[in-house]
Amino acid sequence: MDPGTNRLAGIIAQVALLLSSSCGTTGEDACDSGLVSNLPPSAFRSSSQLSSSHAPGFAKLNRREGAGGWSPLTSDRYQWLEVDLGERTKITAVATQGRYGSSDWLTSYLLMFSDTGHNWKQYRQEDSIGSFPGNSNADSVVQYKLQQPAVARFLRLIPLGWNTNGRIGLRLETYGCPHTSDVMSFDGSSSLVYQSSAGSRRTSREVISLTFKTLRNSGTLLHAEGQKGLRLSLELDGGKLLLLLTRVWPASPEARRLASLGSLLDDQHWHHVAVERRGAHLNLTVDKHTERVQIPAEFNHWDMEKLSVGAEQKPVSKRNFHGCLENLLYNSFNLIELAKHNGRQVTVTGNVTFSCAEPVSAAVTFPGLQSFLQLPGATASTSGGVSVGFQFRTWNKAGLLLTFDLPQQAGVVWMYLSEARLRLQIHKGGRVMLELSTGSALNDGQWHSVELNSRRGRLTVTVDKEDGGIAHASPSFPIAIETHLFFGGCPAEDSTQECRNPFNAFQGCMRLLTLDSQSVDLIMVQQKQLGNYSSLHVDMCGIIDRCSPSRCEHGGSCSQSWTNFHCNCSDSGYSGATCHSSVYQQSCEAYKHNGNTSGQFYIDVDGSGPIKPQLVYCNMTEENTWMVIRHNNTELTRVRPSPAGSRRSVHLDYSTGDEQLLAVISQSDHCEQELSYQCKKSRLLNTPEGSPFSWWLGGPGPGHLQTYWGGAHPGSQQCACGLQGDCVDPQHYCNCDADRVEWAEDSGLLTHKMSLPVRSLVLGDIQRPGSEAAYRVGPLRCHGDKSFWNAAFFDKETSYLHFPTFHGELSAEISFMFKTTASSGVFLENLGIKDFIRIELSSSTQVVFSFDVGNGPLEVGVESSVPLNDNRWHRVRAERNVKEASLRLDELPAATQEAPADGHFHLQLNSQLFIGGTASRQKGFRGCIRSLQLNGVTLDLEERAKITPGVRPSCPGHCSSYGSLCQNRGRCAERENGFDCDCSLSAYTGVFCHTEVSASFSSETSVSYTFKEPYELSRNSSALPSSIFSDMTLRGENVSLSFRTNQSPTLLLYVSSYYREYLALLINKHDKLEVRYKLDSSREAEVLKSRVRSLANGQLHTVSIRRLADSVSVQIDQNAREDFNLTFDGEFNAIKSLVLGRVYDSDELDPDLVRLASLGFAGCLSVVHFNSISPLKAALLHPDSSPVIITGPLVRSNCGFPSSANPSTSENSHHLSDQSGSVGSGQPLVNAIRTDSALIGGVIAVVIFVIVAGLAVTARLLYRRKETYRNQEVKGVKQEDSQDLPFNNQTDSQNASGENAKEYFI
């Protein structure tokens, strides 16, 4: 670490150390001493007692005095037992026992703590679960160790459940140790300032820690000031703690928020805070939660000089801290202790006391729908008015706050929340007589004050006084409380109809209730001495912030009600109850298996893991499925000559983040990146001294220095030509190092994954006179997915794979694919002491996800309507989070099971994870499992299967599951990892044989497909001449094509025969389709006319013609099929050729077809199929290897698609050069946008001229070549030279031209 960074320790480092110390106890010492057994009887209190022998003082563990324990007068949930430990104590465990020799014990209870005997705080397990398990008999002891120790003086236990054959009975013990602390109170004007000494040494770890309590939701806890006028602050804002960075001088208008943590910190309970500096990071901790923060660059040379706690040196402000601090520590300094002893580095100002005087204000919690508080109306004042006040806090948008009757007016007053606004309604005779509304966003969990006043005919409703809103009205009738007031709700059984609630019940907290300016004593209410209530928790506010910390993952936004929370996953890229599951696939390979074609896709490499989705291009047109990630400079770029001695540095910025890049490279089977350097008197790698002129950086982070070039091996300091031994100068290892005045090139692919991606280039030899160069770094391309095909085959029920324990305490997602012929078996199992998780095939049609997190086993099952043991791949996705458990099977609706209403538990597992079986080796799975991922992490089944008996790596046979993706007669061919769609027998192309092959024809265009010729058939045959055509005789045809034209009449397709027989497909002058068959040269052609009109309307039409003997059927578009019968049951003998478009060889045509054939066809033809021949596809894709002759212009287009717009399924393949290099006198082709030279425009002009000239010459040669084809004798094509063109004497026998490059599906 450089000295500047070390100096950063100042405030951050020191603020950090301040926050690291504990709250005053020695954590290393044992803290498990009994705390209750030696207390006097006066330390115990209770809500009631059955008799003097059942008094609370007898509730000591394992004691038999009195009646053997405490029992209340009545057994209900309003009873409690309280223990005063005498002083604040650290409590680590609680044990319970039933009343001795009785049938009285607790089965569950709540545990509460307090410093004052008021303002109780409920202890919750795992931040959520409120109840503790009790006993099952009167004598056994059940001890529960607190996950987080509690520090309190008072303990209160509230029974929730007890033996149904007895009553509440209890003996208890608590365990812990003394808690020592230094406390200081601040009143908003007092402060403590610590001044660091000038010679204090910085340390690598600095901590500030403290514990505080307050009733104010805003205020500054501390400032840490240092050099450059920078200041770190800890401030309360809305009950949350903010870590802020501000600039004191020159003054900055706004503070920069570095972190926000905690919530509801204004509850007058102790909260622990720590700020710790470690290296370049700050850790902010509030209670049990920590957030890591990157230190801003401004702090690289900053030291803390002063630490201020409490009020700033200015008049009292609301932003000053009101409350108590405990154990304020900076590194090893106890600042409160220094203040007590008047330490010279500590200055105390204002009214500071070294104790914590707490105001006593009881709150009441309305937890459920049956909660209400009934109070007697105050004595009517002389003015006959009303004055009611209270404070409330809630998360709910709606609920009844207050209601009372107006007997004299036969009316009722309702004050309630609706859409988080306060509303007041007065109903009389069933009509709304008056309505007021004020306030907004009152469901934010903050305390809000409400005042209702009615005096002298004026009604006023006020919310939050000057900070809120106020509403007025002047009713024409008096408002007075003559009977009772009801807060929060109404009694369930109210025969008097004194309370009616047409709204939701209120769920939240209230405090500071006043009637006619007189405070309501809620403790008297609790003791049944005032009013009445039901289902209330008195003397505590049980509000919980379920969104702090947020359980919504991946940036999902959290909202909540009193009992639940909701995650909004919109625009996050994730779904589920907690935004845990990615909505995107993990690779292009996975998208391809969903039936997608080339295009832009979001890829989530680690699924539900922390890496964010990234947008990539998936190229699915090649044998492999490529993931293409571009950067900011993929074009060939000219390098401007640099001044002597200087180098040119090029930095590449990728479209995705570093984390995503490295994950893609790691997960892929193969990655590559083209690296090219074109040079003219510009050397590349080798120099006389052996050090390179140029180099590049690649790999993780900023990259590592690499001195080899594309096509060579890492560390070789060579180019591809050096590896292949064909450099232009054998004395060098790169073409460019020959230092010639002619243009040369060194290029190739970088394939070493540890060196990818290329981060930057440094080009050196570009400053000499005459030096010219250009470079190109292609996009990163990767194919293969190690996760997607990672599979294992289990051939025995007793075989299994085992892995380390799965850790999915609060969020567990498991996904995999399986195929089997068995009707049942366990896919996965992991056990704990009590907890477990299991996924199994319970029957041939059902998958079950079961688990136990300590609150009993739960099951989620999905039933399939089709058998799952069909030896096809099926996908399973199971998830368990704090809200629910869900199970998905294939595309069936998800089955869900909500989490228990009282909260969530951690899933605690400790055994090995078993795959394909169980620990007992029973109910094992027989079949294949692949792509198994746990919380986004792939388990390597194949590697483990290689060393496990009874399990084999990989699973063959994918066509049964994915073969349906091959369309339009495409054939599925198996591969080890995946399959291909072989489109050789299809008129379509593309990865799934789904892309239409279309071409635009002009009147001069002709495509002639030649079948076998006589000499070819007879060359190796002894057959007589009269029989040489026997295997080209057809008794039927299947013909289909699509077309688009405005021309009529016109000839679409013509098939000729050596016997002057033919088949013609044409549009007549009436825009109708005609099919002409001439199957006997001695008879006239038979004309079959379709009734479908308007076929020359420029729209796309599809025609299908089938003949078998004398039966012919014609189908056009979606019209009804038309059936015809020929008068002659003949054969189509010795077929010769098939022509699309213009027929140039018209000597053998019938006279009525000659003129039509000479007109040609102008329009679009698409997916032409004759039996198994695809002549248009052969002409467009394989003209050199197919027996086709093309005359005139033939342009491939997308005109065969129904829409004129470019179809989303169209695919474009961009191939990178894989040549190692070339040498020539021409200059490189450089993209004008990426050029660094002003002369590039001239270069481009020259290049364009050369291209145009070349195209002109090529066109002339092609034209002459086609004319030659037309006038010379047709040449035969050998069958052995065209393996994809077999012929036989079957009706559907002629196979189309094979595609040289198959469309592979991997």
Side-chain angles (χ1 to χ4, degrees):
M1 184 181 294
D2 59 59
T5 303
N6 284 331
R7 293 179 57 195
L8 177 238
I11 189 168
I12 300 179
Q14 300 179 352
V15 168
L17 262 189
L18 245 155
L19 291 181
S20 139
S21 304
S22 69
C23 297
T25 60
T26 57
E28 301 298 329
D29 298 334
C31 189
D32 56 5
S33 302
L35 304 175
V36 172
S37 57
N38 294 324
L39 292 176
S42 59
F44 296 81
R45 290 197 319 131
S46 66
S47 54
S48 65
Q49 61 189 46
L50 185 60
S51 69
S52 58
S53 60
H54 294 80
F58 297 117
K60 296 182 179 180
L61 201 71
N62 293 322
R63 303 286 275 271
R64 304 182 181 181
E65 292 87 354
W70 167 72
S71 285
L73 182 61
T74 58
S75 292
D76 57 36
R77 291 192 172 192
Y78 299 111
Q79 307 304 318
W80 48 265
L81 175 71
E82 181 182 309
V83 181
D84 182 358
L85 299 177
E87 60 183 357
R88 293 185 68 219
T89 305
K90 184 177 182 180
I91 303 168
T92 59
V94 176
T96 60
Q97 193 177 29
R99 192 169 61 82
Y100 175 72
S102 72
S103 299
D104 305 339
W105 63 82
L106 301 184
T107 57
S108 62
Y109 60 91
L110 298 179
L111 197 58
M112 322 284 283
F113 294 107
S114 172
D115 282 351
T116 62
H118 295 285
N119 189 31
W120 294 91
K121 183 175 185 178
Q122 181 180 347
Y123 184 90
R124 293 182 175 274
Q125 312 170 58
E126 304 181 3
D127 291 339
S128 177
I129 307 302
S131 62
F132 285 77
N135 302 88
S136 57
N137 56 56
D139 297 320
S140 61
V141 176
V142 175
Q143 179 174 321
Y144 189 90
K145 185 175 181 180
L146 304 185
Q147 293 176 344
Q148 294 289 331
V151 177
R153 174 179 172 179
F154 295 90
L155 175 149
R156 180 176 284 188
L157 190 148
I158 301 176
L160 291 179
W162 48 90
N163 179 23
T164 56
N165 296 320
R167 58 189 310 123
I168 294 174
L170 176 64
R171 290 176 285 173
L172 86 162
E173 178 62 279
T174 61
Y175 303 91
C177 57
H179 173 77
T180 57
S181 65
D182 293 290
V183 179
M184 194 172 186
S185 64
F186 296 82
D187 63 358
S189 62
S190 51
S191 66
L192 180 152
V193 178
Y194 169 80
Q195 196 81 35
S196 63
S197 58
S200 60
R201 296 182 58 188
R202 294 275 309 279
T203 62
S204 60
R205 175 178 177 269
E206 294 184 289
V207 180
I208 300 172
S209 68
L210 57 89
T211 308
F212 76 93
K213 68 161 51 176
T214 182
L215 282 171
R216 304 283 183 95
N217 67 356
S218 299
T220 301
L221 277 179
L222 61 86
H223 296 298
E225 300 181 14
Q227 301 168 340
K228 300 182 180 180
L230 296 176
R231 179 169 73 182
L232 277 179
S233 303
L234 284 177
E235 292 189 9
L236 281 173
D237 185 13
K240 300 178 182 292
L241 190 66
L242 309 182
L243 178 62
L244 304 175
L245 169 64
T246 55
R247 184 177 295 276
V248 181
W249 48 265
S252 176
E254 293 185 0
R256 186 197 309 179
R257 178 185 296 188
L258 302 181
S260 174
L261 205 58
S263 179
L264 308 176
L265 300 178
D266 56 341
D267 58 359
Q268 195 61 13
H269 292 293
W270 291 107
H271 297 281
H272 176 65
V273 179
V275 178
E276 177 184 18
R277 174 187 172 270
R278 285 183 178 270
H281 293 89
L282 284 177
N283 292 330
L284 173 63
T285 300
V286 176
D287 295 330
K288 296 178 292 183
H289 305 290
T290 301
E291 183 172 339
R292 193 174 189 226
V293 182
Q294 179 75 36
I295 292 178
E298 297 96 311
F299 282 91
N300 286 342
H301 305 284
W302 184 83
D303 292 324
M304 189 190 80
E305 298 174 344
K306 184 174 67 173
L307 183 66
S308 303
V309 181
E312 298 187 69
Q313 301 303 314
K314 59 183 182 180
V316 178
S317 166
K318 289 185 178 181
R319 303 302 302 178
N320 291 342
F321 178 68
H322 294 71
C324 302
L325 295 186
E326 178 186 55
N327 294 334
L328 174 60
L329 305 176
Y330 168 63
N331 291 349
S332 58
F333 300 104
N334 186 328
L335 302 188
I336 296 180
E337 185 178 20
L338 289 177
K340 286 182 179 179
H341 298 87
N342 298 318
R344 59 184 180 85
Q345 290 181 264
V346 177
T347 303
V348 176
T349 59
N351 183 22
V352 172
T353 60
F354 296 101
S355 62
C356 186
E358 302 186 39
V360 177
S361 63
V364 60
T365 304
F366 297 77
L369 302 180
Q370 306 301 320
S371 303
F372 74 91
L373 170 61
Q374 176 183 342
L375 294 177
T379 303
S381 61
T382 56
S383 62
V386 171
S387 177
V388 180
F390 60 91
Q391 293 184 1
F392 74 91
R393 71 191 318 175
T394 184
W395 300 116
N396 291 356
K397 292 183 177 181
L400 180 69
L401 294 173
L402 169 67
T403 181
F404 55 89
D405 282 343
L406 300 175
Q408 294 184 7
Q409 283 74 38
V412 60
V413 177
W414 286 310
M415 180 183 287
Y416 61 98
L417 290 175
S418 176
E419 294 300 318
R421 290 177 56 84
L422 184 71
R423 300 182 185 275
L424 180 77
Q425 279 190 6
I426 299 180
H427 277 236
K428 184 178 180 182
R431 295 187 301 113
V432 177
M433 304 298 296
L434 184 148
E435 185 169 14
L436 297 176
S437 177
T438 186
S440 62
L442 300 179
N443 65 328
D444 58 0
Q446 304 297 313
W447 284 109
H448 297 282
S449 63
V450 177
E451 293 182 1
L452 171 63
N453 290 288
S454 176
R455 290 288 187 272
R456 300 179 178 86
R458 185 170 178 82
L459 179 66
T460 304
V461 178
T462 306
V463 175
D464 293 335
K465 297 183 179 178
E466 65 272 14
D467 295 330
I470 187 169
H472 304 278
S474 299
S476 59
F477 46 87
I479 298 176
I481 303 174
E482 302 179 16
T483 54
H484 296 92
L485 297 92
F486 292 87
F487 291 87
C490 293
E493 300 293 336
D494 185 7
S495 59
T496 64
Q497 294 294 310
E498 190 177 358
C499 181
R500 288 159 291 163
N501 180 16
F503 310 103
N504 295 329
F506 172 73
Q507 291 177 293
C509 299
M510 291 188 185
R511 69 179 184 185
L512 303 180
L513 277 71
T514 61
L515 298 178
D516 275 351
S517 302
Q518 299 296 314
S519 297
V520 176
D521 189 343
L522 292 175
I523 302 302
M524 293 181 63
V525 173
Q526 183 184 36
Q527 297 171 351
K528 302 295 180 81
Q529 298 177 14
L530 177 65
N532 188 20
Y533 67 91
S534 175
S535 301
L536 296 185
H537 296 157
V538 181
D539 207 4
M540 64 170 290
C541 179
I543 190 171
I544 302 172
D545 191 341
R546 291 176 169 82
C547 291
S548 180
S550 176
R551 299 294 183 188
C552 303
E553 304 178 48
H554 300 111
S557 61
C558 182
S559 59
Q560 62 186 313
S561 64
W562 184 259
T563 57
N564 210 339
F565 73 94
H566 171 73
C567 294
N568 184 351
C569 308
S570 301
D571 301 324
S572 69
Y574 297 84
S575 64
T578 59
C579 310
H580 179 77
S581 302
S582 179
V583 300
Y584 303 117
Q585 300 293 335
Q586 293 187 236
S587 65
C588 291
E589 189 89 357
Y591 274 111
K592 194 171 186 180
H593 278 72
N594 279 350
N596 298 98
T597 56
S598 299
Q600 299 278 350
F601 294 93
Y602 275 99
I603 299 294
D604 197 334
V605 184
D606 65 341
S608 59
I611 300 178
K612 296 180 179 180
Q614 55 186 314
L615 185 64
V616 303
Y617 180 77
C618 294
N619 184 353
M620 305 179 191
T621 63
E622 303 181 29
E623 176 177 344
N624 295 309
T625 302
W626 291 94
M627 184 186 305
V628 183
I629 302 176
R630 304 183 66 85
H631 54 77
N632 61 326
N633 189 2
T634 57
E635 307 296 339
L636 187 63
T637 304
R638 174 84 68 172
V639 181
R640 180 186 294 113
S642 301
S646 64
R647 300 180 186 273
R648 172 68 185 274
S649 180
V650 179
H651 179 73
L652 305 178
D653 293 320
Y654 287 82
S655 58
T656 59
D658 187 63
E659 196 175 27
Q660 290 97 326
L661 277 173
L662 299 181
V664 165
I665 294 171
S666 174
Q667 181 173 298
S668 300
D669 292 328
H670 170 84
C671 290
E672 64 185 36
Q673 198 165 9
E674 184 189 39
L675 183 59
S676 175
Y677 190 68
Q678 300 187 17
C679 54
K680 183 178 180 182
K681 284 192 66 63
S682 177
R683 293 162 292 179
L684 184 58
L685 293 181
N686 295 353
T687 66
E689 296 78 22
S691 59
F693 281 103
S694 303
W695 58 85
W696 54 279
L697 301 176
H704 304 290
L705 190 144
Q706 309 291 339
T707 57
Y708 71 100
W709 212 249
H713 296 314
S716 64
Q717 198 163 321
Q718 296 183 14
C719 298
C721 70
L723 186 67
Q724 299 168 2
D726 58 357
C727 295
V728 293
D729 187 343
Q731 297 182 357
H732 295 281
Y733 298 108
C734 296
N735 290 320
C736 289
D737 290 335
D739 201 22
R740 297 191 175 187
V741 295
E742 299 89 1
W743 280 98
E745 179 179 2
D746 287 297
S747 64
L749 296 175
L750 303 171
T751 59
H752 184 59
K753 289 170 64 175
M754 295 300 294
S755 302
L756 297 176
V758 178
R759 303 285 186 175
S760 58
L761 295 176
V762 178
L763 306 176
D765 192 16
I766 52 176
Q767 69 275 7
R768 293 182 298 159
S771 294
E772 296 183 64
Y775 66 89
R776 181 178 187 268
V777 181
L780 178 68
R781 303 197 334 147
C782 297
H783 72 72
D785 184 344
K786 293 180 179 179
S787 302
F788 193 74
W789 292 112
N790 194 294
F793 175 69
F794 302 82
D795 57 6
K796 298 179 181 178
E797 289 188 357
T798 56
S799 59
Y800 61 84
L801 299 176
H802 59 84
F803 291 86
T805 305
F806 174 43
H807 295 287
E809 286 78 8
L810 291 178
S811 187
E813 183 195 30
I814 303 169
S815 65
F816 60 91
M817 303 188 77
F818 77 91
K819 67 174 182 177
T820 184
T821 57
S823 60
S824 64
V826 175
F827 299 120
L828 172 149
E829 181 183 82
N830 206 163
L831 305 178
I833 298 177
K834 291 183 178 179
D835 297 3
F836 73 87
I837 189 168
R838 181 184 302 115
I839 305 176
E840 62 183 309
L841 181 67
S842 62
S843 71
S844 61
T845 59
Q846 186 179 50
V847 174
V848 173
F849 173 37
S850 56
F851 59 92
D852 189 340
V853 291
N855 55 356
L858 294 174
E859 280 191 0
V860 186
V862 175
E863 186 80 24
S864 172
S865 60
V866 297
L868 301 173
N869 57 343
D870 55 359
N871 205 30
R872 295 187 177 188
W873 287 114
H874 298 279
R875 186 178 184 186
V876 175
R877 289 163 289 177
E879 181 181 354
R880 182 257 168 186
N881 53 55
V882 297
K883 281 184 67 68
E884 66 180 23
S886 64
L887 178 66
R888 292 181 180 272
L889 174 63
D890 295 332
E891 300 305 319
L892 296 174
T896 60
Q897 173 78 52
E898 290 189 2
D902 57 346
H904 54 266
F905 288 90
H906 287 68
L907 176 64
Q908 298 176 348
L909 306 174
N910 54 24
S911 75
Q912 290 182 319
L913 170 65
F914 290 86
I915 305 299
T918 65
S920 61
R921 298 197 176 189
Q922 296 178 352
K923 299 172 64 179
F925 171 74
R926 287 188 297 110
C928 288
I929 297 177
R930 73 173 172 93
S931 191
L932 174 61
Q933 295 186 327
L934 278 65
N935 280 346
V937 178
T938 301
L939 297 190
D940 196 340
L941 302 178
E942 292 189 352
E943 285 300 316
R944 190 62 60 94
K946 292 176 182 178
I947 58 174
T948 305
V951 187
R952 300 199 302 267
S954 75
C955 287
H958 306 295
C959 281
S960 61
S961 300
Y962 300 113
S964 61
L965 294 176
C966 299
Q967 306 169 30
N968 303 304
R969 301 186 186 181
R971 297 181 301 179
C972 179
E974 293 283 356
R975 297 187 66 184
E976 180 180 359
N977 286 338
F979 65 94
D980 309 329
C981 284
D982 182 357
C983 305
S984 60
L985 299 181
S986 173
Y988 292 72
T989 186
V991 65
F992 302 126
C993 310
H994 65 289
T995 303
E996 297 192 24
V997 180
S998 309
S1000 295
F1001 282 65
S1002 72
S1003 59
E1004 301 296 322
T1005 305
S1006 174
V1007 174
S1008 176
Y1009 186 99
T1010 304
F1011 299 98
K1012 291 185 178 182
E1013 301 188 12
Y1015 93 93
E1016 181 67 25
L1017 292 167
S1018 61
R1019 184 178 59 176
N1020 297 317
S1021 173
S1022 60
L1024 296 174
S1026 63
S1027 64
I1028 61 175
F1029 304 115
S1030 60
D1031 64 348
M1032 290 186 297
T1033 296
L1034 304 178
R1035 287 191 54 80
E1037 303 84 38
N1038 286 331
V1039 183
S1040 63
L1041 59 84
S1042 296
F1043 68 90
R1044 185 196 303 267
T1045 186
N1046 291 306
Q1047 177 182 345
S1048 66
T1050 186
L1051 182 64
L1052 298 175
L1053 176 145
Y1054 178 77
V1055 182
S1056 64
S1057 161
Y1058 287 102
Y1059 288 157
R1060 303 181 68 86
E1061 299 173 355
Y1062 69 84
L1063 163 64
L1065 183 64
L1066 56 94
I1067 305 294
N1068 62 25
K1069 62 182 180 180
H1070 303 295
D1071 290 358
K1072 294 182 179 181
L1073 180 74
E1074 286 188 12
V1075 181
R1076 298 190 181 185
Y1077 268 106
K1078 186 173 184 179
L1079 301 182
D1080 186 344
S1081 58
S1082 64
R1083 304 177 62 172
E1084 293 294 325
E1086 297 191 56
V1087 180
L1088 312 179
K1089 295 184 179 180
S1090 171
R1091 295 186 299 273
V1092 179
R1093 299 174 179 272
S1094 303
L1095 296 183
N1097 59 358
Q1099 301 298 313
L1100 186 68
H1101 300 284
T1102 299
V1103 176
S1104 177
I1105 301 169
R1106 294 189 178 185
R1107 180 185 75 90
L1108 181 60
D1110 63 342
S1111 298
V1112 180
S1113 65
V1114 177
Q1115 172 118 32
I1116 301 177
D1117 299 331
Q1118 302 301 317
N1119 296 289
R1121 189 181 71 181
E1122 299 174 90
D1123 295 318
F1124 303 89
N1125 288 309
L1126 301 176
T1127 60
F1128 177 69
D1129 183 8
E1131 297 177 338
F1132 197 176
N1133 296 298
I1135 56 174
K1136 176 182 179 182
S1137 64
L1138 182 152
V1139 179
L1140 303 175
R1142 184 170 182 175
V1143 181
Y1144 283 98
D1145 186 6
S1146 59
D1147 296 340
E1148 300 179 354
L1149 288 177
D1150 286 353
D1152 56 342
L1153 284 180
V1154 172
R1155 179 180 176 278
L1156 192 61
S1158 65
L1159 294 176
F1161 170 77
C1164 168
L1165 286 179
S1166 177
V1167 288
V1168 181
H1169 212 91
F1170 180 84
N1171 289 348
S1172 58
I1173 298 295
S1174 302
L1176 184 60
K1177 178 180 177 183
L1180 289 172
L1181 302 184
H1182 311 291
D1184 297 330
S1185 60
S1186 302
V1188 293
I1189 298 175
I1190 304 171
T1191 307
L1194 180 69
V1195 181
R1196 184 176 180 181
S1197 70
N1198 63 351
C1199 61
F1201 290 94
S1203 172
S1204 59
N1206 290 334
S1208 60
T1209 56
S1210 62
E1211 300 171 333
N1212 295 312
S1213 175
H1214 304 280
H1215 300 272
L1216 297 177
S1217 170
D1218 58 357
Q1219 298 180 359
S1220 61
S1222 61
V1223 180
S1225 59
Q1227 297 192 23
L1229 300 179
V1230 184
N1231 187 307
I1233 298 177
R1234 295 296 181 186
T1235 183
D1236 291 323
S1237 172
L1239 298 178
I1240 195 61
V1243 174
I1244 292 177
V1246 173
V1247 170
I1248 292 175
F1249 175 80
V1250 172
I1251 292 175
V1252 171
L1255 290 175
V1257 173
T1258 303
R1260 175 63 177 166
L1261 291 174
L1262 287 175
Y1263 179 78
R1264 294 180 62 184
R1265 176 187 179 197
K1266 298 306 178 185
E1267 286 294 305
T1268 302
Y1269 280 149
R1270 197 177 76 182
N1271 295 320
Q1272 69 182 190
E1273 193 74 16
V1274 179
K1275 296 181 179 179
V1277 179
K1278 299 180 182 179
Q1279 181 173 344
E1280 59 267 31
D1281 294 336
S1282 181
Q1283 297 295 328
D1284 292 327
L1285 295 170
F1287 286 82
N1288 56 43
N1289 58 3
Q1290 300 296 321
T1291 300
D1292 192 12
S1293 62
Q1294 283 107 3
N1295 294 340
S1297 166
E1299 295 178 65
N1300 294 340
K1302 293 181 180 179
E1303 290 86 351
Y1304 288 103
F1305 199 108
I1306 302 170

